[in-house]
Amino acid sequence: SAVISQKPSRDICQRGTSLTIQCQVDSQVTMMFWYRQQPGQSLTLIATANQGSEATYESGFVIDKFPISRPNLTFSTLTVSNMSPEDSSIYLCSVGWGSAGYTFGSGTRLTVV
Amino acid sequence: QKEVEQNSGPLSVPEGAIASLNCTYSDRGSQSFFWYRQYSGKSPELIMFIYSNGDKEDGRFTAQLNKASQYVSLLIRDSQPSDSATYLCAVKPNNAGNMLTFGGGTRLMVKP
């Protein structure tokens, strides 16, 4: 399975600012996803990061708030824009291997104050 | 109705007992089913996946799938305190590309 390096691991940010989270995979992967896990909750898919095209966003998530880049098959970024305390969550990138073996990065714990 | 449902728990079992975790899903066409373990403050790690009806065993873990009844379960034999974590059931729905839908998770506590 792939090894994913995600950074930063945590950050405390002021409201109104933006944070970019990076995800680097040690091999080329077609499928890369960004999830959010709010405190005490399960994982919610934000978007699928598509290489060479715009990300596909799930209901309730928009590009202006969560812009995503996927310049190649090993790297993606998620930006949380114009942050508010409600954005305080853990953000996780994930890569998939066909029908099996979905692996997660170590997560970014974001606190907005 | 949620697409993937789990009892939030906590499920408390004594050390050495069998822990049984259950999950139901709404999309009858779902093909792939996954169990993840998540320790507090950590990211989810894949324990098992199952595609076919019946049981799949891996060490102390057994996944059971019943597509007719739309449920999948995870049995943990000889439970250890180190098994204490939140267990997430994830389903790949039929027409969802390759992303997973997660249940809310069941918190398991194994008491020494």
Side-chain angles (χ1 to χ4, degrees):
Chain A
S1 62
V3 176
I4 305 172
S5 175
Q6 184 175 343
K7 58 182 181 181
S9 59
R10 59 177 64 227
D11 208 341
I12 301 174
C13 300
Q14 297 291 322
R15 65 179 67 200
T17 63
S18 298
L19 176 71
T20 295
I21 302 166
Q22 299 181 2
C23 210
Q24 178 74 54
V25 190
D26 68 345
S27 56
Q28 293 187 340
V29 293
T30 304
M31 299 172 287
M32 187 176 285
F33 310 96
W34 287 97
Y35 284 86
R36 181 175 73 182
Q37 188 172 31
Q38 295 180 301
Q41 303 297 314
S42 188
L43 283 76
T44 301
L45 182 67
I46 298 172
T48 301
N50 303 307
Q51 194 270 325
S53 64
E54 200 168 276
T56 305
Y57 289 85
E58 297 301 304
S59 176
F61 298 96
V62 295
I63 188 172
D64 290 346
K65 176 67 176 178
F66 298 101
I68 288 171
S69 77
R70 181 92 194 269
N72 56 54
L73 292 176
T74 64
F75 186 79
S76 179
T77 67
L78 168 74
T79 298
V80 186
S81 303
N82 188 25
M83 289 184 284
S84 67
E86 292 71 34
D87 294 320
S88 297
S89 286
I90 298 173
Y91 293 86
L92 295 144
C93 66
S94 173
V95 299
W97 298 91
S99 298
Y102 289 74
T103 304
F104 284 88
S106 55
T108 297
R109 184 180 296 270
L110 171 62
T111 302
V112 184
V113 297
Chain B
Q1 180 187 5
K2 293 183 181 178
E3 294 183 47
V4 182
E5 294 205 50
Q6 297 179 255
N7 188 318
S8 62
L11 172 66
S12 182
V13 300
E15 184 175 355
I18 296 175
S20 178
L21 305 162
N22 300 310
C23 172
T24 59
Y25 59 95
S26 60
D27 184 348
R28 184 171 289 278
S30 297
Q31 297 295 317
S32 307
F33 308 87
F34 304 81
W35 282 102
Y36 284 84
R37 177 175 62 199
Q38 186 174 28
Y39 292 114
S40 180
K42 301 295 185 181
S43 62
E45 56 179 324
L46 181 67
I47 298 175
M48 294 189 71
F49 58 88
I50 186 168
Y51 311 132
S52 304
N53 276 329
D55 296 0
K56 179 181 180 181
E57 186 174 319
D58 184 1
R60 296 187 296 114
F61 299 96
T62 298
Q64 299 176 319
L65 175 60
N66 185 322
K67 288 187 177 181
S69 300
Q70 295 176 241
Y71 83 78
V72 56
S73 61
L74 179 70
L75 301 178
I76 306 175
R77 291 181 298 281
D78 188 24
S79 295
Q80 301 297 309
S82 59
D83 294 325
S84 298
T86 296
Y87 290 80
L88 300 166
C89 172
V91 176
K92 191 164 84 70
N94 193 27
N95 295 313
N98 289 293
M99 65 84 165
L100 300 180
T101 299
F102 284 83
T106 298
R107 184 180 167 207
L108 173 66
M109 298 173 59
V110 181
K111 297 188 174 182

